Amino acid sequence: TGQVWKEAITITKSGSFKDAKEVVGDVVGDLGDDATDYVGRTKGPFQGKVVGKQSADGKRGYRIDYDEEKGAHINWWNGKEKGAIPFTGNLDQAKRIVENQVTK
């Protein structure tokens, strides 16, 4: 049987993308100089686009995502822990962030 990880949902005070990104930095830490781009894999608005960054070994990282349940959010993972940090904005806002490469 596979390991089921409980996802931690973190709500920031302002709900802004900037605040969400700061929390992600605290949770996943420095991804290192050899960090690689994370490209959206699932079907949807971000498939094939650079949506985040991950450590060279893939064990830590984050990606911008959008779904009906959580809205615009950043998914993160650090070893066996994972979570999501919602930020204000709709799908268009999330697309703009991805297209402007604000994930740097």
Side-chain angles (χ1 to χ4, degrees), residues 18-69:
K18 182 176 177 282
D19 281 0
K21 183 81 170 53
E22 280 181 23
V23 173
V24 166
D26 291 344
V27 176
V28 301
D30 184 355
L31 296 176
D33 294 336
D34 53 356
T36 59
D37 288 340
Y38 185 94
V39 177
R41 298 182 186 133
T42 53
K43 282 197 162 99
F46 304 121
Q47 185 176 13
K49 294 189 187 313
V50 174
V51 291
K53 287 271 191 208
Q54 62 185 351
S55 57
D57 60 9
K59 291 183 177 170
R60 294 179 300 129
Y62 67 89
R63 65 187 174 86
I64 293 171
D65 200 1
Y66 181 89
D67 64 44
E68 289 300 320
E69 185 187 335

Side-chain angles (χ1 to χ4, degrees), residues 60 74 98:
R60 294 179 300 129
I74 305 174
V98 167

